[in-house]
Amino acid sequence: MAQLFYDSDADLGLLNGKTIAIIGYGSQGHAHALNLKDSDVKVIVGLYNGSRSINKAKADGLEVLSVADASAKADWIMVLLPDEFQKEVYDKEIAPHLSTGKVLGFAHGFNIRFGLIKPPADVDVVMIAPKGPGHTVRWEYQNGQGVPALFAIEQNPSGNARSLAMAYAKGIGGTRAGILETNFREETETDLFGEQAVLCGGLSELIKAGFETLVEAGYQPELAYFECMHEVKLIVDLMVKGGLTAMRDSISNTAEYGDYVSGPRLITADTKAKMKMVLADIQDGTFAKNFVAECEAGKPKMKKMRNRDAQHPIENVGKSLRSMFSWLKHA
């Protein structure tokens, strides 16, 4: 059983006197910056000139500098930009200011794992990856709780990288819930696989296929939406709270029996073989190569697929139905 580490295992005092530059102020960036600030860690924010986030970060009481200036001033540079932007920003704005003894941090290992960013050997390279969206990381912290996080060490010339990473995790609230040690390769490959095979790719296609099957059989699209899209969250919430067993304890006997006899008819050995192919593409760098090429081309395939799925009937039906849900009107 893997070991989890908590508040008592991490020393926030290791960050005393250090300046941490948060590069980017999106979902994760704002959460890390504000949680660290509230943990009495000195934080600055690095943003490009003209960023829409500049005024927001300033309004939140943070010092905002250019990425280059923030990188020069900081002892710790935490890169919280989208994967496809990190290499260019790193090469132009961060790398020139990575002097001996500094810490370079990430919340996802993509650019390190696939060699897009190659830090100098005299800086610590660490990862602290909360297992939740940034807004959840922020409000859980504000509520005195935390979001579980992963941490990993890629380079440790100082000899203190592991303790520093754990201190950072404590500063953003991760050790309140528990943090788990991994490495950049494992985090990156499992994260990409989970997104593609289950959480995003697998689930999206399963939902669309179920919706289409019911509509094509003559059932009302609205009912198909409720059964194949709306209730997904209800089931997943039960799983998150207590696993598959607790979910099955909460549903009807009819639903539980259907789970056992029909699930394996859909998710077969062939499906698992396809999953292994997806994982192989991740492990050997094929996915990363294709993603980088797609981004360099201006994301034409992504835009086409995004527009295609935006026009799917389930989106139109869902938009209409969601307008009826009072709890969504103020979300």
Side-chain angles (χ1 to χ4, degrees):
M1 188 71 177
Q3 182 180 2
L4 290 172
F5 299 94
Y6 297 94
D7 277 349
S8 60
D9 299 307
D11 180 7
L12 191 60
L14 294 175
L15 301 182
N16 289 346
K18 295 186 182 297
T19 298
I20 296 181
I22 301 296
I23 309 301
Y25 203 70
S27 176
Q28 288 291 335
H30 95 282
H32 287 231
L34 292 176
N35 289 5
L36 288 168
K37 178 175 177 285
D38 288 348
S39 294
D40 295 323
V41 177
K42 180 171 176 53
V43 179
I44 57 178
V45 176
L47 295 170
Y48 68 86
N49 186 35
S51 169
R52 293 178 296 177
S53 298
I54 291 176
N55 290 336
K56 185 176 186 304
K58 288 182 176 179
D60 288 336
L62 295 162
E63 179 183 359
V64 179
L65 302 169
S66 69
V67 174
D69 288 346
S71 298
K73 185 173 182 178
D75 302 292
W76 183 316
I77 303 163
M78 189 70 179
V79 184
L80 295 174
L81 300 168
D83 290 331
E84 65 267 34
F85 300 136
Q86 289 186 14
K87 175 176 168 52
E88 181 178 3
V89 173
Y90 172 84
D91 288 343
K92 294 181 178 179
E93 309 292 335
I94 297 174
H97 305 288
L98 272 179
S99 53
T100 300
K102 288 197 175 188
V103 180
L104 180 66
F106 299 86
H108 178 43
F110 187 92
N111 277 269
I112 294 294
R113 163 63 182 88
F114 296 112
L116 300 170
I117 290 176
K118 298 179 180 179
D122 58 352
V123 301
D124 290 347
V125 179
V126 305
M127 174 172 56
I128 301 91
K131 299 311 293 178
H135 291 90
T136 304
V137 173
R138 179 57 181 155
W139 60 252
E140 285 282 14
Y141 180 96
Q142 290 177 302
N143 291 330
Q145 305 299 318
V147 170
L150 304 178
F151 73 101
I153 312 305
E154 180 73 9
Q155 294 184 181
N156 186 20
S158 73
N160 296 319
R162 188 171 181 274
S163 296
L164 288 168
M166 294 176 70
Y168 184 105
K170 185 172 184 175
I172 62 172
T175 50
R176 295 175 179 177
I179 61 174
L180 175 66
E181 189 166 11
T182 181
N183 57 64
F184 274 65
R185 178 192 61 78
E186 183 177 55
E187 184 276 337
T188 302
E189 293 174 6
T190 57
D191 187 74
L192 293 175
F193 176 80
E195 291 167 352
Q196 294 172 37
V198 180
L199 305 175
C200 303
L203 184 57
S204 296
E205 290 302 311
L206 185 66
I207 288 171
K208 287 189 296 181
F211 176 88
E212 292 165 2
T213 299
L214 287 177
V215 172
E216 289 165 5
Y219 298 101
Q220 294 182 59
E222 290 78 10
L223 268 66
Y225 176 87
F226 277 125
E227 296 302 330
C228 298
M229 171 79 91
H230 174 75
E231 293 195 29
V232 169
K233 182 181 186 303
L234 308 181
I235 296 300
V236 170
D237 281 348
L238 293 172
M239 293 179 181
V240 170
K241 289 179 181 178
L244 296 176
T245 300
M247 178 272 288
R248 287 164 174 158
D249 284 343
S250 298
I251 60 179
S252 69
N253 290 332
T254 317
E256 183 182 2
Y257 179 72
D259 176 346
Y260 298 139
V261 300
S262 295
R265 296 172 66 188
L266 296 170
I267 308 302
T268 66
D270 288 340
T271 309
K272 191 171 179 181
K274 295 291 187 182
M275 286 185 169
K276 289 183 177 180
M277 293 171 64
V278 169
L279 181 57
D281 280 352
I282 292 168
Q283 291 172 326
D284 68 15
T286 298
F287 171 78
K289 179 181 177 182
N290 291 342
F291 176 67
V292 170
E294 173 71 8
C295 292
E296 290 177 345
K299 303 178 183 174
K301 294 179 182 177
M302 283 183 66
K303 291 175 182 176
K304 183 178 179 180
M305 291 183 283
R306 183 184 296 153
N307 291 335
R308 178 201 66 196
D309 273 18
Q311 301 305 313
H312 192 283
I314 199 172
E315 293 293 80
N316 295 325
V317 172
K319 183 177 181 181
S320 175
L321 288 176
R322 287 191 296 271
S323 68
M324 299 161 33
F325 303 157
S326 60
W327 67 87
L328 288 178
K329 292 181 180 177
H330 303 292

